[in-house]
Amino acid sequence: MTSLEAVLHQIEEEEVLELQNVFTVVDLDTAAEAQRRIAWFEEKKREVDAIIEKQIAPFIEKIEKIKMWGEQAKVEHEEKRVHYTNMLEQYMRNEVAKQLELGKKPKKTLSLPYGKISLKKQQPEFQKNETELLEYAKATGFVKVKHETNWAELKKNCVVADGKLYDTNGEQVPGVVVVEREEKFSIELNN
């Protein structure tokens, strides 16, 4: 350890010992000291984060390579799965068509050793032109109107007094109770 490293190490040890002592904020000097200590702790956390990132970077690269390999390896299997799925769907559709030709009610589910295949009726898909549809809905009474309070504008035109909200005419706004809250504490550190 060089002499500079030794001095820095000693200063850090003194910091840790000093931080373990009972400390109270009672004036501007101790407040500044408390903020300095917070900044020191934040810097130590950033150092730990940097070490973590540096240590896991090679593993993340390996994981990404493995994921890419896995995706490429699955392509062939997915293509074959799609192929066999299409074959089963075509078989099922042909069987239903044969049953319909014979005038029978078609059986649209088939149990196989590894599960079932079936054809299920779906709801139709509705492709809508919203402009035209809205005009029709207005003309025929199928429009929903949503009423809601414009809170931001209302609040701008009111004042708070005695836990109540009053409009510009001095009338209390019904449905509002004003609950005063403590000031929120925050710390800003200069980097």
Side-chain angles (χ1 to χ4, degrees):
M1 204 185 277
T2 66
S3 62
L4 177 60
E5 288 175 329
V7 169
L8 290 174
H9 183 69
Q10 182 181 354
I11 290 171
E12 275 191 27
E13 285 181 354
E14 288 172 7
E15 287 272 347
V16 171
L17 288 174
E18 184 181 324
L19 292 172
Q20 291 173 349
N21 293 334
V22 176
F23 180 83
T24 307
V25 176
V26 292
D27 56 16
L28 283 176
D29 187 41
T30 53
E33 176 61 18
Q35 193 175 39
R36 184 192 67 78
R37 291 179 182 195
I38 290 169
W40 185 81
F41 286 126
E42 290 296 322
E43 178 60 30
K44 291 299 171 192
K45 284 172 40 183
R46 283 191 291 274
E47 288 174 10
V48 169
D49 286 340
I51 292 169
I52 290 169
E53 290 300 317
K54 186 177 177 182
Q55 292 298 313
I56 65 173
F59 297 107
I60 290 174
E61 289 175 19
K62 287 180 182 179
I63 289 169
E64 290 304 315
K65 284 182 182 177
I66 293 169
K67 283 181 179 179
M68 285 176 42
W69 171 86
E71 291 302 316
Q72 291 171 350
K74 290 190 288 184
V75 167
E76 177 186 351
H77 302 300
E78 179 60 18
E79 289 171 354
K80 288 181 180 177
R81 185 197 67 78
V82 167
H83 172 74
Y84 285 105
T85 299
N86 290 338
M87 289 174 57
L88 281 173
E89 180 180 353
Q90 190 59 47
Y91 170 75
M92 189 69 184
R93 289 188 186 282
N94 289 340
E95 287 300 307
V96 167
K98 285 179 191 175
Q99 292 171 13
L100 286 172
E101 285 177 13
L102 296 173
K104 296 180 180 177
K105 181 179 178 189
K107 184 176 177 186
K108 294 187 177 185
T109 300
L110 183 61
S111 289
L112 298 169
Y114 297 99
K116 295 180 181 182
I117 59 172
S118 62
L119 290 175
K120 295 181 181 175
K121 182 132 178 94
Q122 297 187 80
Q123 291 294 320
E125 178 183 336
F126 297 98
Q127 298 176 347
K128 302 175 274 187
N129 177 322
E130 285 298 330
T131 307
E132 291 177 21
L133 184 59
L134 182 58
E135 288 305 314
Y136 171 81
K138 284 179 183 176
T140 56
F142 291 103
V143 176
K144 283 198 292 188
V145 178
K146 183 177 180 181
H147 293 280
E148 60 183 37
T149 303
N150 185 343
W151 177 246
E153 287 299 313
L154 176 67
K155 195 167 67 166
K156 277 186 207 174
N157 293 300
C158 294
V159 293
V160 174
D162 302 322
K164 296 180 176 121
L165 190 64
Y166 294 94
D167 65 16
T168 53
N169 299 325
E171 292 183 40
Q172 181 182 346
V173 178
V176 178
V177 176
V178 179
V179 179
E180 296 291 341
R181 300 189 297 176
E182 285 187 7
E183 294 173 331
K184 184 176 177 183
F185 177 74
S186 68
I187 297 175
E188 288 184 31
L189 298 175
N190 299 332
N191 289 333

